[in-house]
Amino acid sequence: MLTVLGAGMAGLCAAVRARELGVEPVVWEQGDRPGGSMLLSSCVVWRYRAFEEFRAQCPGGDPALQRTVWERLDDGIAWLESLGAPVAQRGTGNPLTTGVRFDRAGLTETLARAAGEVHLGSTGQGRSDAGPGPLILATGGFQGDPALVAEHIGPAAPLRLRANPWSDGDGLRLGLARGAATSVGMGEFYGRNMPDADVPPSQFVGAAQLYARHALVLNEAGAQFLEAPVSWSETEVVQATARQPGAAAWYILGDRALLEEVRARGVRTMVDRAVAVGGTVLPAAELPFPVPREAVLGVRVQPGITHTIGGLRIDPSARVLRLDGTPVDGLYAAGADAGGISAGGYASGLAAALVFGRLAAQTALS
């Protein structure tokens, strides 16, 4: 019997692939619906156009795992389309990357239908009907557990969760209990700086404040803290903000910056969205520290954690590894439970989930 823990992108892809190989998997999902954080994302599944760019953008990641994602993603996207997953847009709008934006509800529905029965409300741990045999961990990382986030990432204050609430480290804990090693990048995460408000899940994408490259970025004391120019992904800005007092920052903007666009979204539009969800946006004269004369306003932001980058150590076949590099018998991982792929930078989490979800099932059943 093959058991899959988690019904996000990785777990559903593993379950669908298992059924294609003639095995009916048992799928457990802690949440009250399938789809995990995929259902809350922009649902763009992408890779860097050149492998060398992947390495340059994520220099701390495992090259073998990166190569696996890079070489297998196009086939994985074609597979999703063959299942009937609806495409919302071809291309990413970024010259560095190539990929497809899927309709997130349609993709979730397509995979859930093809995966068969999903047992909701439990991880299946400790249940006799969870079954012996191979186990695929695809619970989505540990961003939903503040204690694990504090232990491994160590932000200056608790981070806002920009993901489903059920990915709370079950896969990591289970793997470690069986002797697994952790990957590189345990102190890293992917997320977005968000308004300092309780942003509803429906606004996780739309309310993101993705224009740090056009802003003067200051901490709560009014000091600059970024050590390098802002990258296209702004992931490093979010991680740096998490280490500032109160895990907060201010984006200071002038008239010129407010007219800029980032990925076809106007900076002014993003600021207006921050206001709409209740975030702090102040005129320059009301900011708690001096700012340049050309400043018009400041937006207070806090990091929202979408998924952890570190996790269980795996090989290119999705086998979970011990510290000495030997595989843990019968244990596989995919999605954010499998760490070290995009360490040092940013790459598509959905792409890795798709590739290693399918691979986990194939390896487990071979």
Side-chain angles (χ1 to χ4, degrees):
M1 177 184 294
L2 174 66
T3 302
V4 180
L5 301 189
M9 172 70 107
L12 290 175
C13 287
V16 175
R17 186 66 186 126
R19 294 187 77 194
E20 290 177 341
L21 295 172
V23 172
E24 196 70 27
V26 177
V27 183
W28 298 94
E29 166 55 49
Q30 185 174 194
D32 58 13
R33 58 159 178 78
S37 293
M38 169 178 66
L39 197 55
L40 306 175
S41 73
S42 59
C43 217
V44 182
V45 185
W46 59 272
R47 63 169 173 83
Y48 288 101
R49 289 185 181 275
F51 181 70
E52 293 73 20
E53 188 66 40
F54 196 165
R55 290 295 302 142
Q57 294 282 341
C58 302
D62 184 314
L65 300 182
Q66 293 174 343
R67 175 68 72 175
T68 301
V69 173
W70 191 83
E71 290 182 345
R72 291 177 174 265
L73 181 62
D74 293 355
D75 179 65
I77 289 175
W79 177 75
L80 290 177
E81 292 192 55
S82 75
L83 295 174
V87 173
Q89 176 185 328
R90 297 195 183 277
T92 64
N94 183 341
L96 296 177
T97 67
T98 180
V100 169
R101 182 190 299 272
F102 288 94
D103 175 85
R104 57 191 177 187
L107 176 59
T108 300
E109 181 181 355
T110 297
L111 287 172
R113 182 174 59 249
E117 184 178 7
V118 175
H119 301 277
L120 299 175
S122 173
T123 61
Q125 294 185 49
R127 296 178 61 112
S128 60
D129 54 352
L135 175 63
I136 297 175
L137 303 176
T139 67
F142 60 85
Q143 62 276 355
D145 187 319
L148 285 174
V149 170
E151 175 186 352
H152 294 288
I153 297 173
L159 300 179
R160 294 180 178 273
L161 186 62
R162 186 179 176 266
N164 79 78
W166 310 299
S167 294
D168 55 7
D170 280 344
L172 177 66
R173 283 186 287 264
L174 194 154
L176 294 177
R178 294 199 181 185
T182 54
S183 73
V184 296
M186 290 299 292
E188 300 178 38
F189 69 94
Y190 162 68
R192 291 283 183 239
N193 272 346
M194 304 292 289
D196 60 346
D198 291 327
V199 178
S202 63
Q203 295 296 314
F204 281 169
V205 175
Q209 303 296 290
L210 191 59
Y211 49 83
R213 75 201 71 174
H214 299 299
L216 173 63
V217 182
L218 305 176
N219 64 17
E220 296 274 61
Q224 297 186 55
F225 59 89
L226 297 180
E227 299 177 354
V230 176
S231 72
W232 72 271
S233 72
E234 302 196 9
T235 299
E236 80 288 357
V237 179
V238 182
Q239 294 188 30
T241 303
R243 296 189 293 270
Q244 296 306 302
W250 288 86
Y251 286 173
I252 310 302
L253 300 164
D255 285 324
R256 184 173 180 177
L258 289 167
L259 296 175
E260 296 284 354
E261 286 196 353
V262 179
R263 303 185 199 177
R265 295 174 62 202
V267 172
R268 169 62 78 176
T269 299
M270 287 185 267
V271 173
D272 289 345
R273 188 67 63 88
V275 173
V277 298
T280 302
V281 179
L282 297 179
E286 297 180 17
L287 292 169
F289 39 70
V291 293
R293 180 179 301 178
E294 63 270 19
V296 173
L297 56 82
V299 182
R300 188 171 184 268
V301 296
Q302 293 182 302
I305 182 170
T306 303
H307 65 75
T308 44
I309 287 177
L312 298 172
R313 184 180 169 193
I314 65 166
D315 69 8
S317 296
R319 299 181 299 177
V320 174
L321 303 178
R322 297 184 179 89
L323 189 60
D324 64 4
T326 60
V328 178
D329 187 45
L331 192 62
Y332 310 86
D337 282 353
I341 298 168
S342 58
Y346 172 56
S348 171
L350 291 179
L354 166 59
V355 168
F356 283 108
R358 297 179 71 203
L359 273 171
Q362 292 168 200
T363 306
L365 298 174
S366 62

